[in-house]
Amino acid sequence: VLKETVRARCADKAQVNRDLPRYLAAFFLLDHLGLRETGALPLALELLADTPLNHHKAVAAVRALGRHATAEEALEPIRGLLRRTDLEVDLVLQHSQGAQGKPIVSNRRFELDLAAAQVLAQFGAHEEAAMLAERHAHDERALVRSYARKVLAQMREPVTA
């Protein structure tokens, strides 16, 4: 049932404390249960091929691939995702004064780039990962700079097994 919900991209809202499509809630549960163990790993790859593809769905799939896939399964799909130019990365925030004034729009590409950088580094593509993270290390937004620097610092830490 969970896999079929993701496959069908059921967009009705899940009964949780935020506006979340049911298929994404099902994907999160499959991720928690183990994508490989539930036979749902191909669904993460399918999510990356969706059109339109928003940053929420892309980041969830990238992080899940980092947890459950091998380098051979994940690297090329993530690289392909990063080359896409049709991603929906602008988040329109609720304006506290209603329709007055200009809408507040936040570009969230950094979330995708930094999640991808973490997974690329995890799978040994350190140069690509560092280039992605460096793009955001001097962003005007403190949150973005902090996240990028955290990712870069994680790459410098020795790997412990």
Side-chain angles (χ1 to χ4, degrees):
V1 173
L2 291 173
K3 290 191 284 188
E4 188 52 42
T5 300
V6 176
R7 266 190 212 97
R9 305 294 191 270
C10 295
D12 58 318
K13 303 305 177 203
Q15 294 182 0
V16 295
N17 62 354
R18 59 184 179 167
D19 197 25
L20 184 70
R22 186 172 305 280
Y23 76 88
L24 205 48
F27 181 74
F28 290 150
L29 184 54
L30 287 166
D31 180 18
H32 179 74
L33 295 171
L35 295 181
R36 189 170 304 283
E37 295 80 359
T38 59
L41 189 61
L43 292 175
L45 299 170
E46 290 172 18
L47 284 178
L48 294 181
D50 277 5
T51 302
L53 180 60
N54 66 40
H55 71 282
H56 297 295
K57 192 187 318 182
V59 169
V62 166
R63 288 186 176 148
L65 287 172
R67 285 188 287 273
H68 303 286
T70 64
E72 293 76 26
E73 294 166 324
L75 285 176
E76 284 311 310
I78 291 172
R79 288 174 178 139
L81 170 69
L82 294 171
R83 288 189 296 269
R84 286 182 59 175
T85 58
D86 64 337
L87 302 175
E88 296 175 357
V89 294
D90 288 335
L91 180 65
V92 179
L93 304 171
Q94 181 177 345
H95 201 287
S96 62
Q97 296 181 357
Q100 302 169 2
K102 296 186 333 186
I104 300 168
V105 179
S106 175
N107 183 296
R108 308 305 283 190
R109 177 65 191 231
F110 76 92
E111 289 182 57
L112 174 58
D113 286 350
L114 295 175
Q118 288 175 306
V119 175
L120 290 171
Q122 171 187 329
F123 289 136
H126 297 285
E127 286 184 31
E128 285 177 84
M131 285 180 15
L132 273 176
E134 284 290 343
R135 283 187 202 168
H136 301 286
H138 302 288
D139 194 280
E140 65 185 20
R141 299 167 288 182
L143 171 73
V144 178
R145 286 192 311 270
S146 175
Y147 185 13
R149 291 173 182 162
K150 176 183 171 188
V151 170
L152 287 165
Q154 287 172 340
M155 283 187 246
R156 291 185 202 103
E157 293 175 6
V159 177
T160 57

